[in-house]
Amino acid sequence: NNNYKKAEELYFKTGNYREILNMYVDLEMFNEAISIARKYFNEEVVDNVKLQKGYSCIRKEKFEEAEKIYKQNLITASKK
């Protein structure tokens, strides 16, 4: 949506990356949120966004997708 991009631009101008991240998580636009997290935050924040995506899948009863997300995060966590 164009309004989200405008909001993102305003948050970027003020350096408020956390608000951009929160906006995308709240809107369940997880690919965008993960991209922002990777660019402006550490891996812990990226992992947290991925877990939020998993929780969202569970709420929507997309259990196979949630399982895939959690397994990927476990593999990533075990490599740290």
Side-chain angles (χ1 to χ4, degrees), residues 1-15:
N1 187 325
N2 198 31
N3 290 332
Y4 302 133
K5 285 294 173 191
K6 287 181 183 177
E8 181 180 330
E9 288 175 23
L10 291 173
Y11 287 135
F12 268 123
K13 286 180 183 177
T14 61

Side-chain angles (χ1 to χ4, degrees), residues 2-59:
N2 198 31
N3 290 332
Y4 302 133
K5 285 294 173 191
K6 287 181 183 177
E8 181 180 330
E9 288 175 23
L10 291 173
Y11 287 135
F12 268 123
K13 286 180 183 177
T14 61
N16 201 340
Y17 307 118
R18 177 64 66 181
E19 285 301 319
I20 299 167
L21 182 66
N22 290 340
M23 175 183 72
Y24 283 133
V25 169
D26 290 345
L27 294 168
E28 298 187 354
M29 297 173 71
F30 293 106
N31 292 336
E32 291 83 351
I34 290 168
S35 177
I36 296 295
R38 283 190 176 129
K39 190 169 183 177
Y40 296 102
F41 298 95
N42 61 32
E43 280 301 309
E44 185 177 334
V45 175
V46 174
D47 291 344
N48 189 326
V49 173
K50 290 177 182 177
L51 289 174
Q52 292 294 327
K53 183 177 181 180
Y55 297 147
S56 174
C57 290
I58 289 171
R59 284 192 304 275

